[in-house]
Amino acid sequence: MIIKLKKKIKDREKKGLTDFLIKNDVNFQFVNLYNIDHVVTSAEWADKKVIENMFGGAILEIIDTRTEYQLSTRTYKRENTVIDIGRGIIFGTNKTVMIAGPCAIESEEQIFKTAQHLKKHNIKLFRAGAYKPRTSPYSFQGLEEEGLKILAKVRDKFDMSIITEVKDETHLDMVAEYADIIQIGTKSMYIFNLLRKCGKLSKPILLKRGFMATIKEFLQAADFIMSSGNPNVILCERGIRAFEPQTRFSLDICSAALLKEISHLPIVLDPSHAMGRAAQVPIVAQAAAALEVDGVMIETHPNPEEAKSDKEQAVSLAVFDNIMGKVRLVCSAVGRELI
Ligand code: PEP
Ligand code: MN
């Protein structure tokens, strides 16, 4: 249950409501979203009438969601959440944002080469990781702050916004300083303290679905961020683990379609990590665009064979050109503008 409180609620009324919930053993938390104080209670507790009768004077609205994810649903917020990053980048409207760049920052040369090429397509949102959550401890783990500094140069030199990932809480403040959007990777979707800390920031968060997470768990993770005060969450479908080993993961397009109905949050699809093979990334990118999502994320590298991370799925800059051509056509066919 979500209780929206009136602006000028008295301390006495707030205490009355709090005491009542404690007395009834209800889990709840306060959060201010969109400039309105909310009390979000555990899903199973839904004695709306009682609350209305006792505290009606202090209450703007009670939303009885009856689900374990609440703030991320359209039951709570009917209209799309629109996230404006600046530089013309906007999520949650009729635009599809192309997000492109390499998996990892490897050198200034590699990053500048990529950015310069992407700029020809007027790509506005550059992606690359400085803190890479690698499965093997022996793989390249990222350039850390040195990498973030290269991204800062990209922002200035090429006038692009930056999305980069955070692995855990230890470097969140540092990443937040450099990023326009903070990415939480698939393996970090379950780090609840990280979700909470990202919820304390105002920077938009791109939350990738855990590759073993259900849609419910995915939205519960989004709720962790939102219930900590940050409503600017972008959902990213990047593939879930199925039984088939020949594709890296399976891009759950059905979930993307369903999420558009049940959640007001923008949705991005990531064909690169789902497919895991560069040859098929272009055609899956076309399919992603056809789903009328808010963004498509593609990993591209000036020299894919030498990429230090996710090289099998990195498309060359020439292949990226083809992807842009086709994705633009698909977007216009479904009535969306590719930006
Ligand atoms: C990435 O975007 O490079 C990445 C590591 O993604 P994921 O967390 O989806 O594997
Ligand atoms: Mn990657």
Side-chain angles (χ1 to χ4, degrees), residues 142-267:
L143 292 183
E144 305 190 342
E145 194 181 6
E146 189 193 331
L148 295 175
K149 286 186 175 153
I150 297 173
L151 292 182
K153 289 187 191 167
V154 168
R155 185 190 288 112
D156 291 343
K157 196 171 155 73
F158 299 98
D159 190 28
M160 285 168 150
S161 296
I162 300 299
I163 172 165
T164 191
E165 66 204 286
V166 65
K167 251 197 312 197
D168 57 50
E169 292 164 62
T170 56
H171 50 268
L172 175 60
D173 292 342
M174 169 100 70
V175 168
E177 216 178 284
Y178 290 89
D180 296 296
I181 301 177
I182 299 168
Q183 173 175 318
I184 298 178
T186 189
K187 295 165 202 150
S188 306
M189 193 209 86
Y190 283 112
I191 308 179
F192 300 115
N193 283 339
L194 178 64
L195 300 175
R196 283 248 186 259
K197 287 227 161 119
C198 286
K200 302 266 182 258
L201 306 173
S202 54
K203 284 255 160 96
I205 309 294
L206 181 131
L207 175 67
K208 287 193 153 194
R209 179 177 175 187
F211 61 77
M212 298 287 270
T214 61
I215 293 171
K216 174 176 149 184
E217 288 161 345
F218 187 23
L219 290 177
Q220 283 176 306
D223 262 49
F224 258 99
I225 300 170
M226 290 190 71
S227 65
S228 304
N230 187 349
N232 300 317
V233 180
I234 301 165
L235 303 172
C236 179
E237 272 292 347
R238 47 79 66 209
I240 51 174
R241 178 159 283 169
F243 55 81
E244 177 53 63
Q246 297 202 56
T247 57
R248 191 177 182 195
F249 293 95
S250 287
L251 186 62
D252 192 354
I253 58 171
C254 296
S255 140
L258 187 61
L259 284 168
K260 280 159 78 82
E261 181 188 309
I262 59 183
S263 177
H264 54 85
L265 298 171
I267 300 164

Side-chain angles (χ1 to χ4, degrees), residues 103 127 132 273 299 309-310 313:
C103 182
R127 64 140 290 145
K132 295 307 303 177
H273 290 86
E299 282 190 349
S309 173
D310 285 348
Q313 69 200 35

Side-chain angles (χ1 to χ4, degrees), residues 58-92:
I59 290 167
L60 207 58
E61 189 188 358
I62 299 182
I63 303 160
D64 194 355
T65 58
R66 310 259 170 155
T67 45
E68 287 169 54
Y69 44 90
Q70 304 189 65
L71 294 168
S72 53
T73 64
R74 288 202 195 267
T75 316
Y76 165 63
K77 184 170 177 281
R78 190 68 244 139
E79 71 284 6
N80 284 354
T81 284
V82 175
I83 304 180
D84 190 340
I85 313 293
R87 291 188 172 82
I89 305 162
I90 190 153
F91 290 90

